[in-house]
Amino acid sequence: MKKAAIIGAGIGGIASAIRLAVKGYNVTVFEASATYGGKMKEFVQDGYRFDTGPSLFTMPQLVDELFSLAGKNPHDYFRYQRLNIITQYFFTDGTRLTAYREPEKFAAEVEEKLGVPAARVKEYLAKSAQIYEATAATFLHKSLHKVSTYLSPDILKTLPALPALGLTTTMHAANAQAFSDTRLVQLLDRFATYNGSDPYQAPATLNLIPHLEHNIGAFYPEGGIYAIAQSLVKLAEELGVRFKYNLPVTEIITENHKVTGVRTTAEVFYADLVVSNMDVVPTYRRLLPQIKAPEKTLQQPRSSSALIYYWGIRHSFPELHLHNIFFSQDYQQEFRHIFQEKNISPDPTVYVNITSKYTPTDAPPGCENWFVMVNVPHNAGQDWQNLIRVARETIIQKLSKVLAVDLSSLIVTERVWDPVGIEADTSSFAGALYGSSSNNRMAAFLRHPNFTSKVKGLYFCGGSVHPGGGIPLCLLSAKIVSDLAPNPNSA
Ligand SMILES: Cc1cc2nc3c(=O)[nH]c(=O)nc-3n(C[C@H](O)[C@H](O)[C@H](O)COP(=O)(O)OP(=O)(O)OC[C@H]3O[C@@H](n4cnc5c(N)ncnc54)[C@H](O)[C@@H]3O)c2cc1C
């Protein structure tokens, strides 16, 4: 039986393991840390449970597909519900806006709170859907670096739509052209942060993202986001995949430009196929010193990172939901701080995620588990201890004012994760959350492909390579890897 070695048990590595096992490979996953999940882990502290990284879950069908592919019923492993309220927004002028599940109800709320005609909002969401429909099959489900992609019938949907895809303008410019209400523009510009980009630079094509959340829906997995990794690892193990923890890969072994296996801190493991779920930059720098690295690709600007305060709060806030956004006054300045000045705005937009709203056992009775995040630059040697201290004060002041409480007195337990910690814990280069940013219109083509023509049998998955970061795209990267991998019985 042909053997596949996977480097890393992040969501992309786990999904690749499942797909390759189904395809007929004997799969072993090597994970540097003590358990699976990568950025998607969990921890419990003083009676509060926290998901470490991702909190917004879209496109659950991509998780279901893995169970179906293995001939299992997804509901026997993994359950989720569609959110009735997607996000609660707080603007600096005091406006509060609820993003409801139904596009019509959301549009009516925008009309009532912001005075923008509901019909215009629905038109915008319909356009967002059109961009998605025209691009997804070509840009997200296939390799951009194979001629076959451009010969596939799906290209017939993409080509005629090209002029409407917004490649020549920025997200912000397109949103500001669509709406004069600066609050609605800010709400729509925020979707750039879903892949760590800057709406003032990223192409308007990314205005397809609202379609995923507002037309298809946002979801909550029973038990929290970590349940995604847990249920998929259970499936992988049932398929015979072996997970080896605390076993970092130190080298990808090649012979005559063909992969022959991996070296770990404990063994040499021979494999016919190797998939790296490690960030592509350290994969080349640390594991493949014998290969000339694709410098132009590796030197693409990084995406943003995150600073997260996990707070146990001894109070409950009925006005808050699962996802809450407290906007800044000047969004452009905030992104200038992140992407040009490489520091944190004195008035950052604050995201608060509270899973105890859906899973009450995630916090003691009457309390809430707050995942409080601000977007920050990738690590470039900043004085993080100082930035963490200052941002903490700013966030507490801001939220205390909006919620009319003394927040600092309600925090009973705390942990912090910053770009340095994110890199140390997951090997993500410079702590960037999504690999390279999408801050220019060629970004999609400049991400590393899911294979390399320099080493036969070596593939790449996860958030640092095509099609990008975030749970859905990492799952799609695994699909592309498995589609590209040779059939083990005929290879
Ligand atoms: C704070 C935060 C918030 C986020 N919010 C969202 C969100 O709301 N929604 C969303 O969809 N996405 C979100 N994301 C992004 C999402 O979490 C990632 O895109 C995704 O989880 C990355 O998965 P991955 O497959 O790239 O692997 P990673 O999670 O990066 O894991 C890589 C794994 O490889 C292992 N590894 C590295 N090097 C080696 C080696 N040499 N040998 C063995 N193992 C190795 C690491 O230990 C790690 O376990 C967020 C991320 C963070 C950090």
Side-chain angles (χ1 to χ4, degrees), residues 28-351:
T28 304
V29 181
F30 296 90
E31 170 53 52
S33 67
T35 188
Y36 55 83
K39 298 182 181 78
M40 185 194 285
K41 287 205 174 87
E42 69 169 1
F43 69 91
V44 176
Q45 184 168 302
D46 298 328
Y48 294 82
R49 190 199 73 88
F50 297 94
D51 285 308
T52 55
S55 55
L56 175 73
F57 180 41
T58 55
M59 305 189 80
Q61 71 276 15
L62 295 175
V63 177
D64 287 346
E65 191 180 309
L66 293 167
F67 294 103
S68 307
L69 198 69
K72 311 276 187 180
N73 179 356
H75 295 284
D76 292 342
Y77 294 77
F78 178 63
R79 288 162 189 267
Y80 52 86
Q81 59 179 296
R82 189 167 170 186
L83 303 181
N84 286 326
I85 290 180
I86 303 173
T87 307
Q88 182 64 44
Y89 290 101
F90 296 83
F91 294 94
T92 50
D93 67 355
T95 308
R96 295 182 177 194
L97 183 138
T98 307
Y100 293 103
R101 157 191 178 141
E102 303 82 4
E104 298 72 26
K105 204 168 165 192
F106 171 61
E109 169 84 352
V110 172
E111 179 163 313
E112 187 192 327
K113 299 286 172 60
L114 309 182
V116 177
R120 300 254 318 279
V121 177
K122 282 197 276 178
E123 250 170 53
Y124 180 93
L125 290 179
K127 169 114 194 280
S128 177
Q130 276 167 12
I131 305 176
Y132 178 80
E133 298 300 339
T135 52
T138 306
F139 287 102
L140 303 180
H141 288 250
K142 295 193 184 77
S143 173
L144 286 181
H145 302 81
K146 291 282 179 189
V147 175
S148 55
T149 299
Y150 303 94
L151 299 176
S152 129
D154 291 319
I155 200 78
L156 297 176
K157 279 194 213 157
T158 311
L159 288 180
L162 274 178
L165 294 186
L167 281 164
T168 53
T169 184
T170 66
M171 283 180 87
H172 173 76
N175 291 333
Q177 196 181 18
F179 300 106
S180 58
D181 187 280
T182 52
R183 295 163 298 184
L184 183 55
V185 173
Q186 187 171 30
L187 186 156
L188 296 170
D189 281 355
R190 188 180 76 91
F191 288 103
T193 65
Y194 283 26
N195 66 11
S197 301
D198 171 357
Y200 299 89
Q201 298 183 62
T205 319
L206 293 187
N207 284 332
L208 64 80
I209 302 174
H211 166 64
L212 304 181
E213 191 167 297
H214 285 282
N215 294 328
I216 302 181
F219 299 81
Y220 180 73
E222 206 171 273
I225 290 278
Y226 187 59
I228 301 173
Q230 256 175 336
S231 60
L232 290 179
V233 166
K234 181 168 186 276
L235 171 68
E237 285 178 339
E238 284 176 12
L239 293 171
V241 173
R242 274 179 306 278
F243 287 84
K244 296 193 172 192
Y245 298 112
N246 296 310
L247 210 50
V249 169
T250 53
E251 185 188 343
I252 295 170
I253 308 169
T254 60
E255 233 178 76
N256 298 326
H257 297 281
K258 186 176 179 321
V259 85
T260 59
V262 295
R263 189 185 306 279
T264 71
T265 45
E267 61 180 313
V268 169
F269 182 90
Y270 292 98
D272 304 279
L273 184 145
V274 171
V275 181
S276 180
N277 179 218
M278 183 189 199
D279 185 303
V280 69
V281 177
T283 296
Y284 277 99
R285 302 277 186 246
R286 289 195 240 148
L287 309 190
L288 276 173
Q290 70 276 32
I291 302 295
K292 192 173 175 324
E295 290 304 331
K296 190 174 171 206
T297 304
L298 301 193
Q299 284 171 19
Q300 287 306 304
R302 293 298 92 193
S303 77
S304 57
S305 185
L307 173 56
I308 309 109
Y309 302 85
Y310 307 89
W311 286 338
I313 300 284
R314 58 169 181 84
H315 190 72
S316 80
F317 291 83
E319 67 269 54
L320 298 182
H321 295 277
L322 177 66
H323 303 291
N324 307 277
I325 290 289
F326 298 81
F327 273 122
S328 60
Q329 173 70 35
D330 184 343
Y331 220 27
Q332 189 157 14
Q333 181 199 247
E334 188 178 344
F335 284 99
R336 200 168 54 240
H337 276 279
I338 299 172
F339 288 98
Q340 272 88 48
E341 296 171 25
K342 303 271 192 291
N343 58 25
I344 305 176
S345 160
D347 171 28
T349 294
V350 182
Y351 167 64

Side-chain angles (χ1 to χ4, degrees), residues 7-12 30-32 37-39 53-56 248-249 277-278 306 308 373 417 425-427 433-434 462-463 469-472 474:
I7 305 167
I11 190 67
F30 296 90
E31 170 53 52
K39 298 182 181 78
S55 55
L56 175 73
V249 169
N277 179 218
M278 183 189 199
I308 309 109
M373 184 179 117
W417 209 24
D425 295 340
T426 68
S427 288
L433 295 197
Y434 305 96
I471 303 166
C474 290

